[in-house]
Amino acid sequence: MRLLNRYGNLYREENVAISGIHTHSGPGGYLQYLVYSVTSLGFVQQSFDAIVNAIEQSLIQAHENLKPGSIFINQGDVEKGGINRSPSAYLLNPEEERGRYKSNVDSLMTLLKFVDSASGKSLGSFNWFPTHGTSMTKNNRLISGDNKGAAARFFEDWFADSTTNKSLSTTPNIGKIVEKAHRIKATGGRLCGETTSKGFKVRKNDGSLFVGAFCQSNVGDVTPNVLGAFCTDTGKPCDFNHSSCNGDNQICLGRGPGYPDEILSTKIIGERQFQKAVDLFTSATEQVSGKIDYRHVYLNFTNIEVELDNNNNNNVVHTCPAALGPGFAAGTTDGPGFAGFQQGDKEISEKWRKERDILKKPSQYQVDCQHPKPILLDTGEMFDPYAWAPAIIPIQMLRLGNLIILAVPGEFTTMAGRRLREAVKETLISYGRGEFEDDTRVVIAGLSNTYSQYIATFEEYTQQRYEASSTLYGPHTLSAYLQEFKKLAKAMATGETISKGPSPPDLSTIQRRAQIGPFGDSPPSGVKFGDMKEDIKVPKRGFFKRGDHENRPYATFWSANPSYDLLTEGTFAVVETLIQGQGWIPAYDDDDFSLFFKYKLDESGLYSLANIEWDIPDDVMLGVYRLRHFGSSRKEKDSPIVYFTGASSAFAVLS
């Protein structure tokens, strides 16, 4: 609606795709169906508004910077970017089909390079590659874009450095640098303006920055924890079929390449994607040309009639209302769910059947339709206090020349994604009258436009591991997707229009909202927001060393709940460096992989604290630095928000 008011009918749901990179380390509560907001204690308006506003501003910036350009495409394999976390389910797919592929996960990255035609300047890059955003474990409490967010940061910084010829500084006089740092003390807390923190962002969002987007694909059964899953009690591999340890799902955990350091694992998997993206970007020479086109339709996925062709005997089956099985409750090796469940469970205990029936006993139709999934949560038949799961979902196809992007509202497993890409390509070639050839590339943009959990193959569904147990619409869900996407592909190939389909409901007026704060924050008596509670502790040698990841600058500020203002396009934390003749210049902010901002309450539970920690990069410029914090607060519920800042004492960073 906002884009409609601003640009008329130029941008609309048919030709705009919203696709998530997928992280398990982000704020929740922004989806409208009840089952997705249980863990956030209801719908969270602030989370929803932050996402909507950011998407809107991204589109505005893109529109205001439109210019003639060229697109180049390249493809290559990412090594050790992911493994299959449900290999036993994958093996249920036909042997002949599996034999066509070298691995049980897709390793191919497809990359687009965008170039300004007039200047030849590179403007940005999009790529698609499947691996879950679960390098950060379920114990993490920091907001993170996970490995794809890290890859994007590394790529954008690489491009900035490669175009500015950034080099490391030398140290002409160590003694003077240390002496200067020791003389500069903490500033104390001070009031500032609502937009002050925006001026301290290292990368200003003015629409001119290079954009490196790392997009998600058929990620359903792909984990970045590439060392495998092991039992924490014995150190041995987990049970192959159930991913448990003597029946216990809680102690079967996947290990990333930096195990046991989850942040290091995130960095490594991010770097593997980033390095391949750089290779593809710098070597891309094939230019994309041809038509731009799109198709979009809404479908009621709870009762789609699907025609199956089995040995030339046409069978008609149906999808089902949404439901989740006990394998869903078991969780995965990336993050175990509830104790007492295992992936692949085909039975539900009497205790859990009684608990389920209190919420909603599934109808016999639903039991038969979802078989062999035993129904733990009958979300598709639950409407109190409002719908628990989506019924109407969108599917979408976008065309850029010989590149076809399939925007899917869920997580396709590896083989499910392969079947979808193949079916669409075959249909395009069949009906395209020579317009589509073997060089047509089809990519899946996962988690697009809404979320409806997983899509497993029919064969994988029979085992009922996590992905199959989370395939909402029954055993023929993938077949329905194949059928409906083939319709879109035929329409695109022949130039036909398609009807919009039934619109999804708007539940915004009836959603439950449990969050009621924050109401008010104040520092202890005699203290101002932004004052230091714990200043920098410099090592005995008198300075910090570049690349020393054990001894990090760390400071704690008296602060307030960061939810008063999310400081969008601003920052809560900054590392400043002292430049002769220029003063303090921001060098890193909370968008950087090396800087950590942590909010907590003090020992009394009455006052808010902000911890800022800097993992000094190996390539940091030597010199004098300090840590700065920005925040906001209000004394009472309806009082105006006030903004504050404060900086630590200075410290030296040397080699």
Side-chain angles (χ1 to χ4, degrees), residues 367-426:
V367 171
D368 295 339
C369 189
Q370 291 279 349
H371 182 78
K373 178 198 294 177
I375 298 174
L376 180 66
L377 276 176
D378 187 20
T379 53
E381 295 185 324
M382 297 168 70
F383 302 98
D384 185 22
Y386 52 91
W388 281 56
I392 299 171
I393 60 175
I395 63 172
Q396 184 181 31
M397 283 181 59
L398 305 171
R399 178 185 180 186
L400 294 174
N402 69 335
L403 174 67
I404 304 297
I405 303 169
L406 308 180
V408 299
E411 304 178 57
F412 278 64
T413 63
T414 298
M415 193 62 84
R418 288 168 175 170
R419 292 181 188 177
L420 178 62
R421 293 196 302 262
E422 185 175 87
V424 167
K425 182 174 180 177
E426 288 179 351

Side-chain angles (χ1 to χ4, degrees), residues 9 12 37 67 158 163 181 185-186 197 247 314 320 363 428 437 477 483 491 507 546 553 628:
N9 205 36
R12 55 195 188 278
S37 60
K67 59 188 68 176
W158 165 82
T163 56
K185 303 304 179 184
S197 73
N314 289 328
C320 320
S363 65
L428 289 171
E437 304 293 346
T477 298
Q483 172 180 282
L507 305 179
R546 179 166 62 196
R628 176 176 290 278

Side-chain angles (χ1 to χ4, degrees), residues 17 24 31 55 57 60 72 90 120 125 185 200 238 242 275 283 290 361 411 444 468 488 495 503 553 572 604 627:
H24 285 222
L31 294 171
I55 292 171
Q57 289 305 311
I60 291 172
F72 297 87
Y90 180 87
S125 173
K185 303 304 179 184
F200 285 78
C238 304
H242 300 284
Q275 292 291 352
S283 62
K361 183 177 181 179
E411 304 178 57
I444 292 174
L488 293 191
S503 296
F572 289 101
S604 71
L627 305 181

Side-chain angles (χ1 to χ4, degrees), residues 36-65:
Y36 304 132
S37 60
V38 169
T39 55
S40 58
L41 304 180
F43 182 77
V44 181
Q45 190 69 46
Q46 187 178 50
S47 293
F48 178 80
D49 289 342
I51 294 171
V52 171
N53 292 339
I55 292 171
E56 179 192 17
Q57 289 305 311
S58 296
L59 283 164
I60 291 172
Q61 288 183 7
H63 181 88
E64 298 303 320
N65 287 276

Side-chain angles (χ1 to χ4, degrees), residues 498-546:
I498 56 174
S499 61
K500 176 183 177 180
S503 296
D506 180 358
L507 305 179
S508 58
T509 60
I510 58 175
Q511 288 169 313
R512 296 293 174 90
R513 293 167 167 82
Q515 281 202 349
I516 55 176
F519 283 142
D521 259 302
S522 61
S525 178
V527 173
K528 302 188 297 296
F529 285 127
D531 280 353
M532 304 300 307
K533 183 179 187 296
E534 183 179 349
D535 205 351
I536 300 290
K537 293 181 179 178
V538 179
K540 290 183 179 180
R541 60 176 174 259
F543 58 89
F544 291 92
K545 295 185 68 173
R546 179 166 62 196

